[in-house]
Amino acid sequence: MGDHYYTERPVVESKPFQWAYMLRGHQFLFTVDQGVFSKKEVDFGSRLLIETFVEPNVSGNILDVGCGYGPIGLALAKDFPHRMVHMIDVNERAIELAKKNKQQNDIENAEIYISNLFDRVEGKFAAIVTNPPIRAGKAVVHSIFEQSANYLLSGGQLWVVIQKKQGAPSALEKLKTIFDEVDVVEKKKGYFIIRAKNA
């Protein structure tokens, strides 16, 4: 059976390659590889989250949970240079790619490190963004939601992208049990962009 992108150490052969992509008006060069999520292009859900995101009216850092090779976190870091963006993933290959992509796109305000969910995360954030690992199972996705509430500053926001067919309705219901305010900011091609925050 092949690796999942949430495998800590992908065993599939490494065959890195590069392509360019425009996100939030910035041109990026991404190095990607086998064994990571959406290696041929920035997936539609991540693109929609990147382009829809609005920074909260709270000073502080941003956290990208399950960053993969880095498109969401690096796009936000490039667009909001006054904020530090923390980027975490359990996949070691993805983390190495994200670090390389940070370097080759001249981004300084990003910290990228291995973390199994929030195991190695410290501090609190103005915003947490995630394209959650649906294939890891509902328990993992809901754990991200639950733990996010503990890592947000007062007035901070959790931004999630999830497909309707992959559980957006149940994700909405779960988020409403954790957060005071939950709204769907955007819907497109079956993808929901959900924003959650506590009053």
Side-chain angles (χ1 to χ4, degrees), residues 113-134:
Y113 49 97
I114 288 275
S115 184
N116 186 357
L117 299 181
F118 291 80
D119 282 358
R120 298 184 184 173
V121 176
E122 296 180 358
K124 295 197 173 188
F125 300 84
I128 297 174
V129 294
T130 186
N131 184 347
I134 300 299

Side-chain angles (χ1 to χ4, degrees), residues 87-161:
M87 299 166 57
I88 60 171
D89 204 294
V90 71
N91 182 325
E92 292 181 357
R93 184 174 293 175
I95 287 293
E96 290 309 310
L97 288 167
K99 288 178 178 177
K100 183 177 181 64
N101 289 327
K102 169 191 170 181
Q103 184 178 20
Q104 67 191 15
N105 288 287
D106 299 318
I107 294 168
E108 296 182 358
N109 58 317
E111 290 188 15
I112 303 167
Y113 49 97
I114 288 275
S115 184
N116 186 357
L117 299 181
F118 291 80
D119 282 358
R120 298 184 184 173
V121 176
E122 296 180 358
K124 295 197 173 188
F125 300 84
I128 297 174
V129 294
T130 186
N131 184 347
I134 300 299
R135 291 183 191 171
K138 186 179 283 189
V140 171
V141 174
H142 285 185
S143 179
I144 291 172
F145 298 165
E146 291 164 350
Q147 292 185 61
S148 290
N150 299 322
Y151 286 87
L152 283 171
L153 294 162
S154 177
Q157 301 175 352
L158 169 65
W159 288 71
V160 180
V161 59

